[in-house]
Amino acid sequence: MNLTVAVWATTGAVFSIGLAIVVVRRQLLAMLLGLELMLAAVNVSLVHHAELYRDEQALAVVVLVIAVAAAEAVVGLSLILRLRRAGVAADTAQLRELRG
Amino acid sequence: MGNMPPEMIVWTAVIVGVLAVAFAGVMLLHRSLYVCSVCLLAVLLQTGVLFLLCGSPLVAFLHIMIYAGAVMVLVVVAVMAAGSDGGRFSDFSFPRPLAWLGLLVALMELAFALSKGPLLTTAVPSGLEPANLGAVLFKQYALATEAVTLLMFLAALAVVPDKEAA
């Protein structure tokens, strides 16, 4: 076994579990946590790619993805809190239409 | 790859990967959002260690600082503020063996990092210097970096309450 096998196995499993969380769970917060899981898995594979091929561009993409994920988490959490404050449950079964 | 034996790096990556998958599985199966948040924190710490093992201490530092620090604090505060339909801590039943295992491994990783940390940082490939990363970010990807900066600024505005909400 080498490092590539270990990293790709971990990445695939964590990404799949994150995708399953997004698909299966109905709570918006849990879905957001699943998204964070998927992004972390992608970052691991990108960092390993950067180390394998001496690719600085992959590391730059990882840094940008980390920043975008942080911004996404902030916006998502504030939206969920706004929904909760409006008296709407943060549940995808009850959020069926977009309305201002 | 530095002074650290490659077999040691591989087996450490295997242990870290198995732990990350185990905690991610708990996230999938457990109903409590608190447990999910704690498990996500554990997974993010493991991925930070994987970054370090892959030879990117700078990205590992950024990842742990931003994800395991700032984002996780936001998540926990949001879970506390949003609450759940039932009692807030009523469904907080973390699997005890897994919790002890996670604590034990975290302590082992800390001891490992303190004892072998300099060896890990010397495992950084010579072609991937932070200066090269900065050059890529602010020359080749300057537009994307500016766009992400603007996005983060707009995201910061999202948490400011408007007059109606206040």
Side-chain angles (χ1 to χ4, degrees):
Chain A
M1 180 179 288
N2 56 18
L3 188 61
T4 303
V5 174
V7 167
W8 276 103
T10 305
T11 299
V14 172
F15 186 89
S16 303
I17 292 172
L19 185 62
I21 290 173
V22 172
V23 171
V24 171
R25 301 289 292 263
R26 293 193 312 178
Q27 297 162 304
L28 286 181
L29 264 170
M31 293 171 73
L32 193 66
L33 299 187
L35 275 177
E36 298 292 335
L37 210 58
M38 292 164 69
L39 287 170
V42 169
N43 280 344
V44 172
S45 63
L46 277 174
V47 166
H48 184 60
H49 169 90
E51 193 267 341
L52 268 184
Y53 298 103
R54 305 286 191 268
D55 189 3
E56 288 96 1
Q57 294 188 12
L59 275 190
V61 169
V62 169
V63 172
L64 294 179
V65 166
I66 287 176
V68 170
E72 166 247 325
V74 169
V75 173
L77 291 173
S78 60
L79 281 175
I80 290 170
L81 284 181
R82 178 67 64 92
L83 279 175
R84 194 72 184 181
R85 186 180 285 177
V88 181
D91 192 323
T92 53
Q94 298 180 21
L95 295 171
R96 293 183 179 169
E97 57 187 27
L98 291 174
R99 194 166 49 188
Chain B
M1 188 180 261
N3 297 323
M4 192 171 179
E7 294 83 12
M8 195 172 180
I9 292 178
V10 171
W11 284 108
T12 310
V14 169
I15 293 171
V16 166
V18 167
L19 275 172
V21 173
F23 280 106
V26 175
M27 279 182 69
L28 176 63
L29 298 175
H30 212 285
R31 289 181 58 193
S32 168
L33 286 174
Y34 289 98
V35 175
C36 285
S37 304
V38 173
C39 287
L40 179 64
L41 176 62
V43 174
L44 293 178
L45 287 176
Q46 306 307 318
T47 50
V49 176
L50 274 179
F51 289 160
L52 194 61
L53 292 172
C54 286
S56 299
L58 177 67
V59 178
F61 172 71
L62 283 176
H63 177 82
I64 289 179
M65 192 176 64
I66 294 175
Y67 266 121
V71 172
M72 283 313 299
V73 169
L74 276 178
V75 168
V76 171
V77 168
V79 171
M80 291 175 70
S84 57
D85 292 335
R88 199 169 270 182
F89 289 96
S90 61
D91 50 356
F92 190 86
S93 57
F94 199 84
R96 278 181 187 268
L98 196 60
W100 283 111
L101 180 66
L103 182 63
L104 182 68
V105 172
L107 290 175
M108 285 172 63
E109 283 177 359
L110 182 63
F112 177 74
L114 288 177
S115 62
K116 303 286 184 184
L119 293 181
L120 284 174
T121 53
T122 56
V124 180
S126 58
L128 293 178
E129 296 292 333
N132 295 339
L133 176 62
V136 171
L137 274 177
F138 292 103
K139 287 181 181 174
Q140 194 171 354
Y141 285 88
L143 188 60
T145 306
E146 285 298 321
V148 168
T149 309
L150 184 63
L151 180 67
M152 291 192 76
F153 173 68
L154 293 176
L157 290 181
V159 297
V160 178
D162 56 7
K163 287 183 180 177
E164 292 180 7

